[in-house]
Amino acid sequence: MVYAVVNPATGETIREYPTITDAGIEEAITSAEAAYRGWSRSTTAGERAALVRRVGELHSERREELAKTIVREMGKPIEQALGEVDFCASIYGFYADNAAKLLADEPIELLAGEGTAVVRRSPVGVLLGIMPWNFPYYQVARFAGPNLLIGNTILLKHAPQCPESAAALQQIYLDAGFPAGAYVNIYATNEQIETVIADPRVQGVSLTGSERAGTSVAAIAGKHLKKVVLELGGSDPFILLSTNDLDSVVEQAVEARLDNTGQSCNAAKRFIVVEDLYEPFLEKFTAALTAVTPGDPTSSETPIGPLSSTAAADRLEEQLGRAVAQGATLVSNGGREGNFIAPAVLTNISPESDAYREEFFGPVASVYKAANETEAIRVANDTPFGLGSYVFTTDPEQALRVADKIDAGMVYVNLVLADGAELPFGGVKRSGFGRELGRFGADEFVNKKLIRIGLA
């Protein structure tokens, strides 16, 4: 495994970083354990909140530098990179603002006996975070922010193509005032990560990544009785049942598919449209989607950039070719140049096709026709994934009815790109389990300790 910054727009290898040694892994775990036993146990929630707030402030102060870093690492268009940094600042701010509320004792009304009972939330210890390349700062913020507030300490393994942003984050935590060991970046191999998970000083693991990575990490963690939070892939449905403004729906559909050049787990990927709207939607959607062209990610005018790597571009190109070979219709295809792939639309995907079940991680949209609401829900749920979903309708009762029947961790009605620091994020089925963000994200790796007191 090589940790290196390889600019996906140019193919240039900018810098390689050495992988941590086994002795370095031991030192990192020891340091994180010492910070937990010392710093965590000797600080108040308010003191930790002040440090978390400072992390958010430093994101804002260094936003230009941080944004340019991930443009180099994974090709995110600069305006979206700046937006990611800003979102991180808001996440840290949310947890700092709500520290007292999130960590307050929870009284329990006794059914029998005298005295009192409360649940007190306290840290569990050292946690391991395994993070992906598609949102190098945001993924870390939603894991590390609440857990450092709680008093857990963090070992963070970032994606091999994000070593520069990983180093920048560790520096931010140190500059914010966190002690050595509270947040430790490790350029570790997969074999070394197995050792970290198995170590008895490590109490839990949070992974955002592929289904394959999630399966592997969950198996190792289960063997060693470690709590796991998994946020894996998604093939989110975008269900169109009715509208008074098709142009607006199409605009939102394009935004929902092309955010981060289509490389987002919770992007809309399968567009399921009722029969009477199918043809007009397909025509307008195809025209709007293919009008978007990839460009230089350093330009503020660029809507989508390159895919994150040559391997990612090869994978998407192979998927498209296989989908067509298995009977799907490629309505549009702007082709590939280097790691830049123009948006494409697939139709006539049969349930027997690989494309019916796979996740397309890039600017490819699949469009399905549904006879009615019932069929739309059936197609939406006919997937191994269950991360997010989108429903567009003019009928409020239908919106809630359909939302109740969708097998997903999140349902957005008549809007897209509406994630928030206060809103829980996570999925069901093979999209993983557990939640991040909001109060639920601060309730995964905690000891919900019962304190029952009788009368003296």
Side-chain angles (χ1 to χ4, degrees):
M1 179 177 292
V2 178
Y3 283 82
V5 179
V6 181
N7 189 330
T10 65
E12 176 191 6
T13 299
I14 298 171
R15 182 181 172 187
E16 293 187 358
Y17 290 70
T19 303
I20 194 170
T21 63
D22 290 346
I25 287 288
E26 172 60 29
E27 182 181 343
I29 298 173
T30 299
S31 176
E33 170 72 2
Y36 168 64
R37 296 296 176 191
W39 165 77
S40 174
R41 298 294 181 87
S42 63
T43 55
T44 65
E47 290 168 336
R48 296 191 296 272
L51 296 177
V52 170
R53 186 183 306 284
R54 184 60 186 146
V55 170
E57 292 170 350
L58 287 172
H59 275 67
S60 297
E61 293 172 16
R62 301 176 186 179
R63 68 189 295 266
E64 297 283 345
E65 173 189 345
L66 291 171
K68 289 177 182 177
T69 295
I70 59 175
V71 172
R72 286 192 299 272
E73 287 183 327
M74 49 75 62
K76 191 187 295 285
I78 184 64
E79 288 301 311
Q80 295 180 36
L82 290 166
E84 179 178 340
V85 176
D86 293 341
F87 190 19
C88 291
S90 72
I91 291 170
Y92 292 114
F94 169 83
Y95 283 112
D97 289 343
N98 291 279
K101 185 191 308 182
L102 293 170
L103 298 179
D105 285 351
E106 184 178 333
I108 296 177
E109 185 175 344
L110 296 173
L111 296 178
E114 297 179 323
T116 61
V118 299
V119 169
R120 176 163 296 170
R121 286 165 170 78
S122 57
V124 294
V126 181
L127 303 178
L128 170 65
I130 305 172
M131 296 298 140
W133 49 261
N134 58 337
F135 290 92
Y137 302 126
Y138 162 61
Q139 303 284 3
V140 174
R142 67 189 199 181
F143 165 63
N147 281 301
L148 285 167
L149 175 69
I150 292 162
N152 296 316
T153 55
I154 305 296
L155 299 170
L156 202 292
K157 180 206 174 295
H158 222 312
Q161 71 192 78
C162 295
E164 189 177 358
S165 55
L169 283 173
Q170 175 161 288
Q171 192 61 52
I172 281 178
Y173 282 101
L174 290 172
D175 291 348
F178 281 97
Y183 179 99
V184 185
N185 175 59
I186 52 174
Y187 297 132
T189 66
N190 291 338
E191 292 74 20
Q192 288 172 323
I193 286 302
E194 291 188 32
T195 300
V196 174
I197 296 173
D199 194 290
R201 293 167 292 183
V202 176
Q203 301 302 312
V205 187
S206 179
L207 175 137
T208 298
S210 68
E211 185 180 343
R212 184 176 66 177
T215 300
S216 176
V217 166
I220 299 166
K223 177 181 177 182
H224 296 284
L225 298 177
K226 304 295 174 72
K227 169 75 182 287
V228 181
V229 168
L230 298 178
E231 195 268 279
L232 308 178
S235 190
D236 292 6
F238 182 110
I239 302 172
L240 174 56
L241 300 170
S242 62
T243 181
N244 292 324
D245 188 348
L246 184 59
D247 288 340
S248 174
V249 172
V250 167
E251 180 180 353
Q252 293 184 78
V254 171
E255 290 178 354
R257 176 66 284 230
L258 295 185
D259 181 51
N260 202 31
T261 313
Q263 300 170 114
S264 177
C265 296
N266 65 321
K269 298 185 176 83
R270 297 178 298 131
F271 297 82
I272 304 164
V273 186
V274 290
E275 199 163 10
D276 61 329
L277 290 172
Y278 178 81
E279 292 297 341
F281 174 85
L282 180 61
E283 179 182 356
K284 288 177 177 287
F285 179 62
T286 301
L289 195 77
T290 55
V292 179
T293 56
D296 177 5
T298 65
S299 169
S300 61
E301 303 301 316
T302 296
I304 62 173
L307 266 67
S308 64
S309 65
T310 299
D314 289 345
R315 190 179 308 114
L316 188 66
E317 188 176 46
E318 187 277 331
Q319 278 184 289
L320 272 172
R322 184 157 35 88
V324 173
Q326 293 176 351
T329 301
L330 190 58
V331 179
S332 65
N333 179 18
R336 174 182 178 182
E337 184 174 342
N339 294 329
F340 295 85
I341 294 183
V345 177
L346 287 171
T347 62
N348 299 319
I349 301 172
S350 73
E352 291 73 35
S353 169
D354 293 340
Y356 190 84
R357 304 255 183 254
E358 290 179 340
E359 175 184 21
F360 284 85
F361 217 59
V364 175
S366 304
V367 185
Y368 297 82
K369 183 191 296 184
N372 50 38
E373 173 190 314
T374 300
E375 186 179 1
I377 294 169
R378 181 189 64 76
V379 174
N381 289 337
D382 193 12
T383 173
F385 300 106
L387 189 55
S389 58
Y390 305 85
V391 178
F392 279 74
T393 175
T394 57
D395 182 344
E397 292 184 2
Q398 181 183 53
L400 291 177
R401 183 171 67 243
V402 173
D404 283 343
K405 294 179 180 178
I406 292 177
D407 299 331
M410 302 171 285
V411 183
Y412 294 89
V413 178
N414 293 334
L415 80 174
V416 301
L417 304 181
D419 298 352
E422 77 282 14
L423 301 176
F425 189 106
V428 296
K429 300 198 291 189
R430 298 194 72 82
S431 288
F433 43 78
R435 292 296 180 267
E436 295 180 299
L437 296 178
R439 71 177 182 87
F440 296 98
D443 223 24
E444 291 286 353
F445 295 104
V446 293
N447 177 9
K448 302 177 183 72
K449 183 187 297 182
L450 170 68
I451 301 176
R452 172 74 165 92
I453 301 175
L455 296 178

